[in-house]
Amino acid sequence: MNRIVLLALTLTLLAALVTSARYPYQKVLQHSRIRGRQHGPNVCAVQKVMGSNKQYYTNCKQWYQRKICGKSTVIVYECCPGYEKVPGEKGCPAALPLSNIYDTLGIVGAATTQLYSDRANLRPEIEGPGSFTIFAPSNEAWAALPAEILDALVSNVNIELLNALRYHMVDRRLLTDEMKHGVTVPSMYQNLDIHIHHYPNGIVTVNCARLIKADHHATNGVVHVIDKVITAVTNSLDQVVETEDSLETLRAAVAASGLDTLLQSEDKQFTLLAPTNEAFEKVPQETLTRILGDPEALKDLLHHHLLNSAHCSEAIIAGSSIETIEGTPLEVGCLGEELTLNGKAVISRKDVLATNGVVHFIDELLIPDSAKTLIELGKDSVASSAIDLFQQAGLGSHLAVNERVTVIAPHNNAFKAGTPPIDRDMKNLLQNHIVKEQLSSKYLYHGQVLETVGGKKLRVFVYRNALCIENSCIDAHDQKGRYGTLFIVDKLLTPPSGNVMDVLKADNRFSMLVAAIQSAGLTETLNREGTFTVFAPTDEAFRALPRGELNKLLGNAKELSNLLKYHIGEEILVSGAVSQLVRMKSLQGEKLESVSKNSTLFVNKSPVTEADIMATNGVVHAINTVLQPVKSHDRGDELSDSGLEILRQAAAYSKVSQRHARLAPAYSMLMSKMKQRS
């Protein structure tokens, strides 16, 4: 119990401390500090990616997952920023000595930046008075530069190297709590902007380089160590597209759609997932020609490649759903060093920074549902078998052209036993799975009538846990295409064919039921408009009754009517709507109880042998049992079940009490209860 209380107190304290930090970086740093405090003061817990030098302060979620970009991590403990160890003492009790920026570069492990500052004659400035911020590339960042670039910088130290270093500097003290997402600050090289992004997961980037050691104070400013050498940014997103040879097809599409105005705008930051020429070439020519020739589809296509803010690759350490400006989300993630989109590593080049966002080059065109035909939508969906059926039946034209329709497509699971052969009846049935207008399921309402291209009228039924069209219930989210919508349902639907009496008369299994309904005077009821659910006993069910009981029943019109009304519910209940116990009032007045077990519908514990025979005024479910209403005890001299139990107990006690005097009081109490009931 004490351990549970201690854990609760710890979690409460952790939440309070992390909540007190105002900005994401401070929150993850505070979380790391709390995780590391068992090792002494000012110790931070850091997640290090196995097999690399990458390490992160992380939030609670990453801490428990122990993974960064799908790679396992180990926990290491080190001094929090600004502190150092003292020999013989636990943790990191001492603050780092405060020195100038030049000396601080050496203290924080940015020795190469310190060396190049000396070579470029920057040392006197960063040793002297003033207030500066330097984003110092790590030693590994300098080493990762292509040799020719590094040689060009170092060999011309008085100009290029100095300019490069001054672009990494700001002429004031700038800490992470001032680094808001999407802001720019002028550098000390020609006032060219440095682009800052501060992400919800605590990662801070400058020109897409991650701060790996932040907020190291100096007497004349602050040092942040970053994982890349950054370069000046002068091109907008539109200019990046204009100047890249591999984006020629995208360039033409952008010009045709008028998207270039948006890509030139400096009012907002975007991430452009730029499909290369190769990506466009992978798309079937017919599909590509259709989209490029359709302004609305082209607009949706290009907007589906734009995210609403700048997402540098270094900020992505786990999968997350990010909405495009087209309106549908993409799953953006990572696997090791590779970025992924919807789980696929299709990004060939990343982090091309622009003045108004960032570009990642992709080798696969991302076609949104809103730019697809219904055939294109369905072929890669869980309704691909149904789409094949529509095409085999010669109905593909409804799904491939600019016809506003809604296709009610059964899930592939509906065809586990195989797809039905295409004949005239099947073609007619499939025609009645195509509704004449483009719909959205969230706007459907109970009792709505939908007209099909086959001429039938289908009803909508709204239940607590289901939305059904006739006997088919929607099984997945809508898929809305350029002109049509897919409703994915659990089974082929059955359009109604006549009213309840018509259905029963047309099926020779129900001949005795039809005769009984006529004898009881219920024919008119089941012929009229209404909403009935009929649990219809088959002839087999009636023959299973004792002959005397059956003759007595058929000879008493009132009792027969009462029994039959008990088989008729006052509303339409299809099998797909029964996911839990459903109690429905019968015409007789008592409740019918329906449940579904292992895909079989039961009523009052009796299995339904065939469900969902649809009628214009209801639905028929065949059963092999005659349901019996619960009998009420009108006679005062009949004992209830509890009374009979008392009688059995009393009889048992009377025999025993003759031999055991100590049981006599219990026997007397039971007899007293019997007298109270009489």
Side-chain angles (χ1 to χ4, degrees), residues 306-309 311 316 320-324 328-333:
L306 273 174
L307 308 180
N308 259 320
S309 61
H311 293 273
I316 299 169
S320 62
S321 183
I322 302 176
E323 191 170 281
T324 67
T328 53
L330 290 174
E331 187 70 22
V332 181

Side-chain angles (χ1 to χ4, degrees), residues 93-113:
L96 283 170
L98 204 62
S99 187
N100 60 57
I101 285 178
Y102 179 81
D103 291 338
T104 303
L105 289 171
I107 292 170
V108 299
T112 305
T113 301

Side-chain angles (χ1 to χ4, degrees), residues 255-507:
S257 69
L259 187 66
D260 47 354
T261 304
L262 183 62
L263 298 183
Q264 291 165 6
S265 171
E266 298 288 342
D267 296 336
K268 195 172 181 182
Q269 296 264 310
F270 297 101
T271 297
L272 173 61
L273 304 169
T276 61
N277 299 336
E278 180 186 347
F280 281 97
E281 289 166 4
K282 292 178 181 177
V283 179
Q285 189 59 49
E286 182 183 353
T287 300
L288 188 59
T289 300
R290 178 184 60 77
I291 293 174
L292 294 177
D294 180 345
E296 192 68 27
L298 180 58
K299 177 185 173 183
D300 283 349
L301 173 73
L302 295 177
H303 282 187
H304 192 60
H305 289 76
L306 273 174
L307 308 180
N308 259 320
S309 61
H311 293 273
C312 296
S313 63
E314 284 295 334
I316 299 169
I317 58 176
S320 62
S321 183
I322 302 176
E323 191 170 281
T324 67
I325 69 170
E326 176 262 338
T328 53
L330 290 174
E331 187 70 22
V332 181
C334 53
L335 185 61
E337 295 295 322
E338 293 187 313
L339 284 187
T340 60
L341 294 175
N342 296 335
K344 299 170 70 176
V346 296
I347 295 179
S348 56
R349 183 180 167 195
K350 56 191 178 183
D351 294 336
V352 178
L353 198 64
T355 55
N356 56 345
V358 62
V359 182
H360 303 300
F361 289 52
I362 61 174
D363 287 338
E364 186 172 300
L365 196 63
L366 308 173
I367 304 178
D369 286 356
S370 58
K372 293 179 179 178
T373 66
L374 287 175
I375 289 177
E376 291 165 351
L377 265 184
K379 69 179 182 180
D380 296 322
S381 77
V382 293
S384 56
S385 296
I387 298 302
D388 288 343
L389 278 178
F390 284 111
Q391 290 182 283
Q392 292 170 29
L395 301 174
S397 60
H398 293 290
L399 284 62
V401 296
N402 56 349
E403 184 178 351
R404 297 285 182 184
V405 295
T406 297
V407 172
I408 302 167
H411 194 288
N412 290 341
N413 290 340
F415 304 110
K416 284 182 177 178
T419 54
I422 300 297
D423 54 21
R424 179 179 295 179
D425 289 341
M426 179 52 62
K427 181 175 180 178
N428 289 339
L429 178 61
L430 291 174
Q431 282 183 318
N432 289 311
H433 283 71
I434 304 174
V435 178
K436 282 185 176 181
E437 56 185 312
Q438 187 176 16
L439 302 168
S440 171
S441 64
K442 64 184 177 182
Y443 295 116
L444 297 181
Y445 56 89
H446 191 74
Q448 186 176 1
V449 176
L450 313 175
E451 187 177 352
T452 72
V453 299
K456 292 287 187 179
K457 295 188 183 301
L458 307 177
R459 296 159 297 177
V460 175
F461 305 122
V462 179
Y463 301 98
R464 184 174 297 278
N465 296 310
L467 175 61
C468 305
I469 300 171
E470 294 300 332
N471 59 311
S472 298
C473 298
I474 292 177
D475 198 38
H477 293 297
D478 299 359
Q479 290 188 257
K480 185 177 180 181
R482 174 67 179 94
Y483 293 102
T485 300
L486 277 185
F487 285 173
I488 298 176
V489 296
D490 58 351
K491 61 174 75 73
L492 280 166
L493 65 79
T494 307
S497 55
N499 61 35
V500 167
M501 283 306 296
D502 294 330
V503 168
L504 294 175
K505 288 176 181 178
D507 193 325

Side-chain angles (χ1 to χ4, degrees), residues 141-153:
W142 286 107
L145 282 178
E148 62 274 14
I149 294 177
L150 188 57
D151 289 344
L153 285 173

